[in-house]
Amino acid sequence: MKNTFLSLTALGITITAGAQQKWSLEQCVEYAVENNISVKQADVQARMDRLTLDQSKAALYPTANSQHSAGYQFGRSIDPTSNQFTTNEILFANHSLNVNADLFNWFRKRNTVAANGFSYEASMAKFDKARNDVALNVANAYLAALLSHEQINVALVQQQQSKEQRDNVNKQVLAGALPELNLAEMETQLANDSATLIGARADYRLRLLQLQALLNLDAATAFEVQSPPVDSIPVEPLAELDPALVFNSALVNLPQQKINELNVKAAEKNVLVAKAGMYPSFGLFGGLDTRYSNAQKLLPAHYQSGVVPIGFVDVNGTNYVVNSLQNIPTGFNKNSYFRQLSNNFSQNLGIGLSIPIFNGNQARTNWKKAKLNVESQQLFQEQDAQTLKQDIYQAHTNAVAAIEKYNASRIAVASAQKAYDFARKRFDVGLLKPIDLITNQNNLFKAKINMLSAQYDYVFKLKLLEFYKGHGIKLHH
C-alpha cells in the first residue's frame, strides 16, 4: 500500500562546536510523528484492532474449558455421589472438561474475520492519515518560520540603510549644510526601523515556539531551523498539477480514501455476519466428568460373628424365630479420592443444533441495521470524495492566484527599487528632502515584505497540491 507520508531524506541534524542545533523539515516531521499524541492514539487503536482480528481468527478453532471445584457441605443436603439426603458433613470435589466445535454456522465466523481484517487495514490507514496531517501542519509552520526569518533579513537591511543615511545627514548637519530637522527625521526613521526589526525577531521566535508545540518539544529547548533560500525550494510546474489529475491521484493515494473504501468492505462483511444469526447452526460437543465425596463408603472395615434373625416359623399356632449365624460388619472404610475419580468418570459426545425461532426480532433487526450501515459508509465515502475534490480545485485556484500575486509583487519590488535608487541619488546631491527619501525607502521595504509573503504563500499552495497528488512535501531536490 503506497504511503503518501512526507518524503524524508537522511540529512542529519547539523551540530557544530559552539553553534545552535538546526532542524530540517524532514527532521521536524520525523520527530513530530514519533511524539505527537494524535499519532500515538491512532497507533494504539490500530494495535487494538489487530488484537481483535487475531482473536476472531482464534475463534475459528474449537473451544476447550476445564472446571474444578471443591467445598465443604453441612446441614441437610444431598450427597453428591449417592444423590440421597443426608445431614452428615461432607467434603466434596468436582472435575470436568468440555469441548465445543462449530460444524456449520453459515460462515459467520469467517465473515467476522474478514470484517475485522478490513477494519484493521482501515486503522492502519487512519494511522497514516494522522501522520500525514501532522506532517502537513509541521510543513506549514516550518514555512511560516522561514518567512519570518526572511523578514528579519529584510528588516535588518532596512535598518542598516537608515543608519547609514542618519550618519550621512548627521555629518551634513554638523557641517551646516542641512538643518537639524532633517537629522530628527532620520533619527525617527531609524528608530522605527529598529522597532520593526525587533518585532520581526519576536515574530520569528513566536513561529519557532508554535513549531515546537506541534513537535511536542519542550519550549525551553534550544531550537533553530535550517533556512534554505526560498528560490531553492523545488516546486512542480502548475501545468503538472491539473486539479482533475491531482484528484484522480488523491483517490488512489490518500489514506482517507482508503479508510472509506475499507470501512465499506468491512460493513458489507458484517451484513453477512448478521444474516447468519437468523439461520440454524450445528455444533459438536464432548466432555469428561468425575467427582469425589468423603461420604461415600466402600467396604466394611471388619466383621464379627452374630445371630441374625432371618424369618419366622408357625408350629401348632406358635411363631418361632429362625436365626442364622452370620458375619456382621462393624465399620466401613472411606472410598479413596483417586478410586472415586476412576469409578465416577463419565464421558459424553454429541451434536447440537441451535434453531432461532423467536428472539424479539433481534437477529433480523441487526441484519437490517448492518445493511443500513453499509449505506451510511458509502455516503461517507461519497461525501469525502466530494469534499476532497472541492478542496483540490480550491487549492488549485488559490495556487493560480498566489502565483499571479507573486509575479505582481516582483514587479512592484522592481519599481520600488528603481524609485528608491533615483531618490537616493537625488538625496545624495541635495535635490530631495529626507522625508521623501524615507517615503521611498518605506515603499521599497513594504514591497519586499509583500513579495516574500506572496512567494512563500504560492510555494506552500503548490506544495499542498503536490501533497494531494501523493508526492509528499520536501524543501530540497
Side-chain angles (χ1 to χ4, degrees), residues 374-477:
V374 173
E375 293 185 30
S376 178
Q377 294 299 331
Q378 289 173 339
L379 290 174
F380 276 125
Q381 185 179 25
E382 182 179 353
Q383 183 181 33
D384 281 347
Q386 291 178 355
T387 302
L388 175 63
K389 189 172 186 177
Q390 182 71 21
D391 291 343
I392 289 175
Y393 274 80
Q394 183 176 347
H396 185 270
T397 301
N398 291 338
V400 172
I403 291 177
E404 293 175 350
K405 182 178 180 181
Y406 170 64
N407 291 332
S409 66
R410 290 176 60 187
I411 296 174
V413 168
S415 299
Q417 184 68 55
K418 185 180 294 185
Y420 172 75
D421 291 341
F422 285 143
R424 180 64 183 266
K425 290 177 181 179
R426 296 189 66 189
F427 175 78
D428 289 342
V429 297
L431 298 178
L432 189 70
K433 296 180 180 179
I435 189 64
D436 295 325
L437 177 64
I438 291 173
T439 299
N440 283 277
Q441 181 175 323
N442 288 337
N443 290 338
L444 177 59
F445 174 75
K446 292 177 181 179
K448 288 182 177 180
I449 293 296
N450 290 336
M451 185 188 71
L452 278 175
S453 298
Q455 188 174 14
Y456 274 95
D457 184 53
Y458 103 79
V459 166
F460 180 75
K461 285 181 168 56
L462 289 181
K463 288 297 178 184
L464 182 60
L465 286 173
E466 293 177 6
F467 177 79
Y468 281 131
K469 193 175 180 180
H471 292 175
I473 295 180
K474 51 188 177 183
L475 303 185
H476 56 83
H477 291 282

Side-chain angles (χ1 to χ4, degrees), residues 173-401:
V173 169
L174 292 177
L178 291 175
E180 292 185 358
L181 175 61
N182 291 350
L183 179 59
E185 293 173 343
M186 285 300 178
E187 291 283 1
T188 300
Q189 179 63 25
L190 178 59
N192 290 335
D193 292 341
S194 298
T196 299
L197 178 59
I198 293 172
R201 286 172 174 167
D203 182 70
Y204 175 62
R205 292 308 310 169
L206 179 62
R207 297 293 183 182
L208 290 182
L209 287 173
Q210 292 172 345
L211 181 55
Q212 285 179 263
L214 286 174
L215 300 182
N216 200 21
L217 186 65
D218 189 355
T221 304
F223 181 74
E224 287 289 340
V225 296
Q226 295 178 0
S227 303
V230 65
D231 294 332
S232 67
I233 298 177
V235 292
E236 289 190 38
L238 189 61
E240 297 182 9
L241 297 173
D242 178 75
L245 177 64
V246 172
F247 174 67
N248 291 332
S249 179
L251 288 178
V252 177
N253 296 314
L254 286 188
Q256 182 59 51
Q257 311 313 310
K258 293 185 176 70
I259 293 170
N260 292 330
E261 181 181 351
L262 291 167
N263 284 339
V264 170
K265 291 182 178 180
E268 291 172 344
K269 290 296 181 180
N270 282 324
V271 170
L272 299 178
V273 173
K275 187 176 182 180
M278 297 188 297
Y279 295 97
S281 59
F282 300 88
L284 178 68
F285 64 88
L288 305 175
D289 183 79
T290 188
R291 65 199 62 82
Y292 164 80
S293 171
N294 68 347
Q296 189 178 52
K297 300 176 181 180
L298 182 60
L299 294 172
H302 54 274
Y303 297 84
Q304 68 179 9
S305 298
V307 176
V308 179
I310 61 174
F312 299 89
V313 177
D314 186 355
V315 178
N316 297 324
T318 302
N319 287 327
Y320 294 94
V321 179
V322 178
N323 296 317
S324 174
L325 186 62
Q326 295 182 359
N327 291 327
I328 303 173
T330 59
F332 293 87
N333 288 326
K334 298 292 184 181
N335 203 344
S336 67
Y337 176 80
F338 290 103
R339 179 175 295 174
Q340 283 195 46
L341 294 184
S342 177
N343 293 340
N344 295 326
F345 184 61
S346 64
Q347 309 87 37
N348 65 84
L349 180 65
I351 295 178
L353 173 63
S354 176
I355 304 176
I357 297 176
F358 182 74
N359 52 19
N361 210 27
Q362 182 177 0
R364 183 169 293 275
T365 300
N366 290 339
W367 175 56
K368 291 180 179 179
K369 285 183 178 180
K371 291 197 296 182
L372 289 175
N373 186 50
V374 173
E375 293 185 30
S376 178
Q377 294 299 331
Q378 289 173 339
L379 290 174
F380 276 125
Q381 185 179 25
E382 182 179 353
Q383 183 181 33
D384 281 347
Q386 291 178 355
T387 302
L388 175 63
K389 189 172 186 177
Q390 182 71 21
D391 291 343
I392 289 175
Y393 274 80
Q394 183 176 347
H396 185 270
T397 301
N398 291 338
V400 172

Side-chain angles (χ1 to χ4, degrees), residues 10-16 20-24 27-28 30-31 224 226:
L11 296 181
I13 297 177
T14 303
I15 302 178
T16 56
Q20 173 67 51
Q21 171 179 308
K22 293 188 176 182
W23 295 56
S24 68
Q27 289 153 353
C28 288
E30 287 178 345
Y31 189 90
E224 287 289 340
Q226 295 178 0

